[in-house]
Amino acid sequence: MQTLLTSGAMSRAGRQLALLLCSCCVAVAIPGGLAEEGCPAEPHQASRYVAAVYEHQSFLSPDPLALTSREQALELMHRNLDVYEQQVTTAARKGAQIIVFPEDGIHGFNFTRTSIYPFLDFMPSPRSVRWNPCLEPHRFNDTEVLQRLSCMAMKGEMFLVANLGTKQPCHSSDPGCPSDGRYQFNTNVVFSSNGTLVDRYRKHNLYFEAAFDTPLEVDHTVFDTPFAGKFGVFTCFDILFFDPAVRLLQDSEVKHVVYPTAWMNQLPLLAAIQIQRGFAIAFGINLLAANIHHPSLGMTGSGIHTPLKSFWHHSMDSPEGHLIIAEVARNPPGLISAGNATGKTDPFHRKFLQLLAGDPYSEKDAQDVHCDAAPKSTTNASPTFNSEMMYDNFTLVPVWGRDGHVHVCAHGLCCHLLYQRPTVSQELYALGVFDGLHTVHGTYYVQVCALVKCGGLGFDTCGQEITEAMGMFEFHLWGNFSTSYIFPMLLTSGMMLETPDQLGWESDQYFLKKRGLSSGLVTAALYGRLYERD
């Protein structure tokens, strides 16, 4: 993903430009407080807006497979909506202009098509019917949830985005109509600050959701706001696919995305906050991501992510939900084009450029990155091995010593790491590559270069899920990717997000540069998607 970003879709033009990211101010939100506190204020406050996302620990049906009545379903959903209403009130006191709630937060999950039916609201098309459910509660039947959400938006005087199940009757003459005579959709709804139903988005890329139908056509939902312009909308698993996520951002005026999700974390590459952060950086947009909070199911991780800052929450310990509020720019700050200027003053970056240029002395130089008598390290004098990571068969090479240059290849993708370390911890790190079709829990084609901390000292532990690490690195990570859709991911000990110092194309290689980690490295990865090969 981008690097040479405009705020819309990515282009490979101008590959010789590297992109220097400004210094990143990151803060985890404090319950009831603005997430950006402690960060330096920026000028032109009128060009900023206040956003909120809520990670919700939902009340769940004790038996989602059992049949229930509409009244019983509403009783459960109103318990969750009561919490939503409290959060809107809190966010309103902090000046929030938009709030996002998670996927499945109102009704829960693991239903069958039949058992979820009492939980579904009727959904008229906002594009054909102008409707304020709070002011016109009796216009349509089975819209109690929409009515409450509409009233919350009106009372809080803010845009509100929430996820619920919806139903739409269909006729047997419709060739796509299910046998029970209705469509059932996983739906995001958007309300304006006066409670009007502005738009909807029906999830396209369902993730083992037997209760819901895939819309016959992809919804490309964009809504306009007076405080920040256009927002795009999609849900959870959609983030990994071209439609609708990438296609929405081909509109250069869409600089913000609201993203309800119910994401189960999977390290080392796809924790919720990892993919959220990588997407925001890659496309140069603000991503407002609200995840469900059920740590026992591995579900946590929400944030307000900008290209240069993240305000996030990830907790496997707390049993409670969490509200994040942050002030962000109406026009997300862009990446600064740096060209090759850093190579003139940074010896480490010069080594990287020499390696790309095929300097005959570069391999020797890479072993002696420090100008003093630093211990020499290997340039792939290490064995390659295979290990399962994210259910894929990665090819890896161990990363040993204080400094060096290692590389590993698979199916045409070659990944390189130029690194130096202030000290060598008693941990095993490895550089891995995968270029192929991922087929477990979804089917999609990826190209990945990843530096990971292994779960132990054995090669077979590389790719295991870990969250703590001590190894400090300064490094360049790069590969000859055949896609421009590349998500940069940097995760350090304690589930802390980091921002790359520099990203971009150089000599047909996409690279990530980082120095000065805040804590031990867990994962540094370039996660590429080849949508056309899905």
Side-chain angles (χ1 to χ4, degrees):
M1 294 225 1
Q2 191 82 332
T3 62
L4 298 173
L5 278 188
T6 62
S7 57
M10 296 180 244
S11 167
R12 296 184 74 166
R15 284 184 174 176
Q16 301 303 314
L17 292 180
L19 299 176
L20 180 65
L21 279 73
C22 296
S23 60
C24 174
C25 175
V26 176
V28 179
I30 300 172
L34 280 180
E36 93 288 356
E37 56 185 17
C39 299
E42 296 184 24
H44 310 301
Q45 293 299 312
S47 64
R48 303 171 69 82
Y49 68 98
V50 179
V53 302
Y54 182 62
E55 179 163 312
H56 176 50
Q57 183 176 33
S58 54
F59 296 101
L60 300 175
S61 170
D63 185 1
L65 303 182
L67 300 182
T68 187
S69 66
R70 174 66 172 174
E71 291 72 23
Q72 290 171 314
L74 284 171
E75 182 180 353
L76 175 72
M77 292 191 289
H78 280 308
R79 294 177 69 191
N80 288 309
L81 290 166
D82 288 344
V83 178
Y84 281 25
E85 192 163 1
Q86 294 167 6
Q87 302 307 317
V88 169
T89 299
T90 300
R93 288 200 302 263
K94 300 294 183 180
Q97 294 158 282
I98 186 169
I99 189 167
V100 183
F101 291 101
E103 181 186 25
D104 298 336
I106 295 172
H107 56 269
F109 37 75
N110 293 332
F111 293 93
T112 66
R113 180 175 183 84
T114 302
S115 67
I116 201 173
Y117 182 70
F119 293 84
L120 305 180
D121 266 32
F122 170 71
M123 168 59 73
S125 171
R127 299 180 185 182
S128 59
V129 176
R130 181 172 176 82
W131 179 41
N132 185 313
C134 189
L135 299 181
E136 302 174 273
H138 304 299
R139 187 171 178 183
F140 303 101
N141 293 328
D142 293 338
T143 57
E144 291 90 342
V145 173
L146 292 171
Q147 292 169 32
R148 283 206 65 183
L149 293 171
S150 170
C151 292
M152 288 182 210
M154 179 183 294
K155 184 178 179 181
E157 298 182 325
M158 68 182 69
F159 275 67
L160 184 149
V161 180
N163 175 269
L164 71 158
T166 63
K167 59 187 178 183
Q168 178 184 324
C170 56
H171 195 270
S172 58
S173 61
D174 177 354
C177 183
S179 59
D180 53 17
R182 64 180 181 266
Y183 290 107
Q184 299 182 175
F185 297 118
N186 177 332
T187 306
N188 295 337
V189 289
V190 182
F191 294 93
S192 70
S193 57
N194 66 9
T196 299
L197 180 61
V198 173
D199 217 329
R200 70 173 181 200
Y201 166 73
R202 299 168 298 178
K203 186 177 180 183
H204 186 72
N205 298 287
L206 297 174
Y207 187 80
F208 303 101
E209 298 169 65
F212 294 119
D213 299 303
T214 300
L216 299 181
E217 296 181 357
V218 182
D219 290 343
H220 297 107
T221 301
V222 175
F223 64 94
D224 205 0
T225 67
F227 53 85
K230 291 184 178 181
F231 283 74
V233 189
F234 53 83
T235 308
C236 201
F237 202 38
D238 288 327
I239 201 169
L240 292 179
F241 297 91
F242 186 85
D243 255 329
V246 178
R247 193 179 301 277
L248 281 175
L249 297 174
Q250 291 179 332
D251 179 350
S252 61
E253 293 185 2
V254 178
K255 299 178 181 180
H256 318 269
V257 168
V258 290
Y259 177 60
T261 184
W263 191 278
M264 291 179 285
N265 290 293
Q266 189 176 4
L267 291 164
L269 298 178
L270 287 180
I273 57 174
Q274 273 182 303
I275 189 67
Q276 294 164 14
R277 178 72 172 133
F279 194 91
I281 293 175
F283 284 98
I285 52 100
N286 294 329
L287 181 70
L288 281 52
N291 197 7
I292 205 80
H293 186 78
H294 289 288
S296 64
L297 301 176
M299 304 171 90
T300 182
S302 304
I304 297 171
H305 306 275
T306 80
L308 305 181
K309 301 178 183 179
S310 278
F311 314 95
W312 77 92
H313 175 73
H314 175 104
S315 175
M316 293 295 290
D317 302 318
S318 172
E320 300 177 351
H322 193 89
L323 180 66
I324 304 172
I325 303 174
E327 188 179 78
V328 293
R330 178 186 177 116
N331 293 305
L335 308 182
I336 299 172
S337 173
N340 294 337
T342 55
K344 300 175 182 178
T345 57
D346 181 357
F348 194 50
H349 194 69
R350 282 204 305 271
K351 299 293 183 184
F352 162 68
L353 296 176
Q354 289 171 354
L355 285 168
L356 292 187
D359 188 322
Y361 299 102
S362 62
E363 293 295 327
K364 174 180 180 296
D365 292 345
Q367 295 182 17
D368 192 16
V369 173
H370 300 292
C371 294
D372 57 16
K376 289 189 176 182
S377 62
T378 61
T379 304
N380 262 37
S382 304
T384 59
F385 62 94
N386 291 90
S387 188
E388 184 178 283
M389 187 188 307
M390 310 290 297
Y391 301 104
D392 294 321
N393 184 26
F394 272 69
T395 303
L396 303 101
V397 62
V399 177
W400 289 329
R402 280 192 60 189
D403 51 65
H405 166 225
V406 295
H407 65 274
V408 62
C409 301
H411 302 112
L413 175 62
C414 288
C415 302
H416 295 255
L417 177 72
L418 176 66
Y419 67 97
Q420 55 189 31
R421 307 178 62 183
T423 58
V424 178
S425 60
Q426 296 301 309
E427 300 166 304
L428 175 62
Y429 282 84
L431 174 67
V433 60
F434 180 77
D435 183 354
L437 192 66
H438 174 88
T439 58
V440 178
H441 300 158
T443 301
Y444 46 93
Y445 200 102
V446 294
Q447 289 186 327
V448 183
C449 293
L451 170 62
V452 297
K453 185 208 165 187
C454 304
L457 297 180
F459 289 170
D460 61 344
T461 69
C462 297
Q464 292 181 356
E465 297 194 28
I466 62 102
T467 59
E468 303 296 329
M470 295 184 293
M472 303 297 287
F473 284 82
E474 297 181 353
F475 64 91
H476 288 70
L477 173 67
W478 72 95
N480 60 330
F481 289 85
S482 52
T483 177
S484 59
Y485 297 101
I486 304 168
F487 299 84
M489 298 179 177
L490 270 176
L491 193 67
T492 59
S493 191
M495 296 300 293
M496 300 296 290
L497 294 172
E498 300 272 350
T499 300
D501 296 333
Q502 204 168 341
L503 287 169
W505 291 98
E506 187 72 58
S507 302
D508 292 328
Q509 305 279 326
Y510 189 85
F511 77 95
L512 180 159
K513 172 188 174 184
K514 181 62 181 177
R515 310 185 79 165
L517 295 174
S518 63
S519 58
L521 182 67
V522 171
T523 302
L526 295 171
Y527 191 90
R529 280 287 284 115
L530 281 77
Y531 302 109
E532 68 277 11
R533 297 190 189 179
D534 290 352

